Amino acid sequence: MRKVAVLGIGQTKISEHWDMSLRDLAAKAIHSALQDAVRSRVDGLFVGNMLSGSLNHQGNLASLIAEWSGLNPAEAVKYETACSSGGSAFRAGLIALASGELNSVLVVGVEKMSDAKMTDTAAALAAAADADYETAHGLSFVALNALIMRRYMHEYGWNHADFAPFSITAHHNAVHNNHARLQTSISEADYSQARMVAEPINLLDASPIGDGAAAVLLVPAESAAGTRNTPQVNVIASAAATDRIAIHDRNDPLWLTAAEISVKKAYSQAGVGPQDIDFFELHDAFSIMSALSLEASGFAERGTGPRLGLEGEINPTGRIPISTFGGLKARGHPVGATGIYQIVELTQQLRGEAGENQVDPARIGMAQNIGGSGATVVTHILANQ
Amino acid sequence: MRKVAVLGIGQTKISEHWDMSLRDLAAKAIHSALQDAVRSRVDGLFVGNMLSGSLNHQGNLASLIAEWSGLNPAEAVKYETACSSGGSAFRAGLIALASGELNSVLVVGVEKMSDAKMTDTAAALAAAADADYETAHGLSFVALNALIMRRYMHEYGWNHADFAPFSITAHHNAVHNNHARLQTSISEADYSQARMVAEPINLLDASPIGDGAAAVLLVPAESAAGTRNTPQVNVIASAAATDRIAIHDRNDPLWLTAAEISVKKAYSQAGVGPQDIDFFELHDAFSIMSALSLEASGFAERGTGPRLGLEGEINPTGRIPISTFGGLKARGHPVGATGIYQIVELTQQLRGEAGENQVDPARIGMAQNIGGSGATVVTHILANQ
């Protein structure tokens, strides 16, 4: 595939933005990305968003954002694969550049979740599950993850406390991230005493939703040479795969098959293996997902994911730092935007512009965005040059 | 762009399918397309759908359809640009093939609209407008089109009866289309006496919604040679453009700027002009849209669209036959699926398999899919070889 560079990045703080609408958030991130790239040409706008139709009563969101950001008549499309919508939009942008049809692509992930009633938001998020065979039985999305976590603990003998490092590390990393929703560190006691949501998932196992937008400007790598932002950050692998949506339909509900497939493809494209990945922005919507993602991506044997946390290997100075800006857990999870926040953070690390959050070395980073409880998995590997 | 062939086509009848779910409809069209293509390899599934999140409570629809159709672990993404979602998904499929990343792509458009209350459906469709600046004022989608039609009649001096040929022709063409929702011809008296919906749009100016799915299997043109379906049908142009969503924000609400831009690009890619187009599947969601589309696409001067109808030029034997299988007006308009129905019908004509609906000659056909009242327009030109 034609080599692509991330030329510009932009993001808003994740918060309850009562004074900003869906289009305002997107436009703010877009303008930051264009400013960062010192470019204005945009051939196509790729929008990652899950909930605009159900929560914001807004269809054709991509055209609306194109209008609001002054990008008409550029073509514009919204991509939706539940919580991996951002990753899917990013991959579509790469493919469009590779086709030669477009030469400058803006990808924005955006979600505005605060305006709706909590019950409506929970119902809208449950749409990431199988509406007819899971949601119809009253299962919320956190309840589905709780089923997976409970079974995982039963099969492999882990206790709830063993998952604490995932949340503690994420919160620790978010303290210096001004774009994070929760800039607060937490202790083991905080974790163990947190309010139960859906047993065994408590409030500190779950990521907070929020309003936010993140954007990247992508161009063919050869046309990025000599630009302001150095070192240049290139995408060296992109892959996506699907699995059955309903947990009960999967061959093994404790294994992220789609993650394994997309990661293997990505490693093969980049000519690397897990040992070459310097840091990993994974999809820690729930702490159980961190464990499963680390296993499916080759960083831990089956059933041993929590050990990486307990042994400090996921810390900024460990073998495989994760959630380096707070992850979904503490940076926040504006669902359709999350995949682009991950790419923005990868770029900050690879440029050496991560400040207090900088990991070292930061030559090759991986991002993984998960839709549903593992139905869609999109994996990207970026590197500096 | 790498030349792409439409190798297989499939469609369901558009109707109220009380015995079929969203996934059932999609799977049926997909299997028809694969059977027609005599192929089974699918590298990626591209889904055009507008309303699954708001009406069917189903996110991540593409993964769900991949599962239900036996296509896991192929990557799968849903594309949404309101009523042009099908056209956007088709264009994304072409781009993916052009990139070389995928070599066999299935595009399915699907919508299931009958399960919801009519008021919920109307509200969900209104999401195609600007939620904050149009819908919030109580305007339904038909009301917005009524504003355009009234202004058009005022500016150019047309009467309501002058639009009759658009609806009469569409219904006439649907009589022999077994997949059409309304297989009935209508008279001028029927048209003039139809129940008013939003003045001046009456029931026979408006297209009926419905449940339905249409699918196409796309492959690089060179790998389609020698296959069963002849003549081979190739895509010779693909272009999309956007305009402001809200009618009051447009420079000229009586001109489809995005249509003009996308059509000019498409003509240029294909090396053709309006005089070379043998037939045109346009987006006749409302009769006023037929007039505006014909004008923006170069078949009529500004303000003169209805004349083509009055002079019989849009009939199957006229200069530019439109809606050759009934169009949105009579075949039906399952919103996110419509763009793929158009491609399926183009392919039927270009293969010479249109039966009673066959136009002659049918060497080059154009399809135009419109999102909102003109905010997104996707134009495709196909040809046989």
Side-chain angles (χ1 to χ4, degrees), chain A residues 363-375:
Chain A
R363 297 159 308 200
I364 300 179
M366 184 159 81
Q368 189 171 86
N369 202 194
I370 303 182
S373 53

Side-chain angles (χ1 to χ4, degrees), chain A residues 27-40:
Chain A
K28 188 173 178 185
I30 285 172
H31 289 148
S32 297
L34 291 174
Q35 208 160 22
D36 182 53
V38 202
R39 295 272 176 111
S40 60

Side-chain angles (χ1 to χ4, degrees), chain A residues 1 23 58-60 63 67 72-75 78-80 91 101 127 129-132 242 244-245 249 376, chain B residues 1 23 57-60 63 67 72-75 78-80 91 101 127 129-132 242 244-245 249 376:
Chain A
M1 199 152 77
R23 70 187 86 185
Q58 185 63 65
N60 214 358
S63 282
E67 170 189 340
N72 283 146
E75 61 184 294
K78 163 174 156 170
Y79 301 80
E80 192 268 309
R91 176 162 163 72
E101 269 282 284
D130 187 316
D132 297 343
T242 58
R244 294 162 189 174
I245 284 202
D249 279 337
T376 307
Chain B
M1 198 152 77
R23 69 187 85 186
H57 311 294
Q58 184 65 63
N60 214 357
S63 281
E67 170 189 340
N72 284 147
E75 61 184 295
K78 163 174 155 170
Y79 301 79
E80 191 266 309
R91 175 161 164 73
E101 268 283 283
D130 187 316
D132 297 343
T242 59
R244 294 163 188 173
I245 284 203
D249 280 337
T376 307

Side-chain angles (χ1 to χ4, degrees), chain A residues 62-327:
Chain A
S63 282
L64 185 78
I65 293 173
E67 170 189 340
W68 206 248
S69 307
L71 301 176
N72 283 146
E75 61 184 294
V77 175
K78 163 174 156 170
Y79 301 80
E80 192 268 309
T81 58
C83 300
S84 59
S85 298
S88 293
F90 184 73
R91 176 162 163 72
L94 299 175
I95 288 174
L97 287 170
S99 76
E101 269 282 284
L102 295 90
N103 286 301
S104 180
V105 158
L106 230 164
V107 190
V108 63
V110 61
E111 208 76 66
K112 173 72 175 155
M113 307 174 75
S114 297
D115 290 347
K117 285 184 293 186
M118 283 303 284
T119 45
D120 288 347
T121 307
L125 286 171
D130 187 316
D132 297 343
Y133 295 95
E134 290 184 322
T135 324
H137 296 281
L139 282 160
S140 68
F141 198 63
V142 56
L144 285 164
N145 280 274
L147 289 175
I148 298 175
M149 186 172 180
R150 175 173 289 285
R151 185 71 196 174
Y152 185 91
M153 289 163 64
H154 171 81
E155 284 290 333
Y156 301 120
W158 295 106
N159 296 313
H160 180 257
D162 298 325
F163 292 84
F166 292 122
S167 300
I168 292 171
T169 302
H171 275 268
H172 173 83
N173 292 346
V175 168
H176 296 289
N177 177 5
N178 290 326
H179 297 103
R181 171 137 199 196
L182 304 175
Q183 279 186 265
T184 47
S185 58
I186 59 168
S187 66
E188 270 186 59
D190 293 332
Y191 178 78
S192 64
Q193 292 159 21
R195 186 153 52 99
M196 192 54 67
V197 180
E199 208 185 342
I201 292 181
N202 73 24
L203 201 60
L204 289 179
D205 286 304
S207 55
I209 61 169
D211 308 330
V216 291
L217 184 75
L218 305 178
V219 297
E222 71 269 15
S223 76
T227 44
R228 187 174 65 96
N229 292 307
T230 52
Q232 184 176 318
V233 173
N234 293 330
V235 182
I236 61 172
S238 168
T242 58
D243 194 1
R244 294 162 189 174
I245 284 202
I247 296 169
H248 61 254
D249 279 337
R250 298 204 191 132
N251 291 335
D252 180 354
L254 299 184
W255 188 254
L256 295 177
T257 303
E260 182 187 14
I261 293 172
S262 75
V263 168
K264 277 188 177 160
K265 275 191 187 174
Y267 285 157
S268 157
Q269 283 172 27
V272 301
Q275 70 285 352
D276 301 307
I277 305 297
D278 293 322
F279 63 104
F280 183 22
E281 296 303 332
L282 49 66
H283 193 93
D284 55 340
F286 300 97
S287 47
I288 178 65
M289 278 293 137
S290 298
L292 296 180
S293 174
L294 285 165
E295 294 170 19
S297 303
F299 297 103
E301 294 296 311
R302 174 185 287 263
T304 69
R307 195 178 299 157
L308 286 174
L310 295 168
E311 292 172 356
E313 299 292 12
I314 59 171
N315 297 341
T317 55
R319 181 162 72 83
I320 181 68
I322 66 169
S323 306
T324 67
F325 281 87

Side-chain angles (χ1 to χ4, degrees), chain B residues 138-154:
Chain B
L139 282 160
S140 68
F141 198 64
V142 57
L144 285 164
N145 280 274
L147 289 175
I148 298 174
M149 186 171 179
R150 175 173 290 283
R151 186 72 196 173
Y152 184 92
M153 290 163 64
H154 172 81

Side-chain angles (χ1 to χ4, degrees), chain A residues 51-64:
Chain A
L51 302 169
S52 77
S54 51
L55 283 193
N56 312 105
H57 311 293
Q58 185 63 65
N60 214 358
L61 178 65
S63 282
L64 185 78

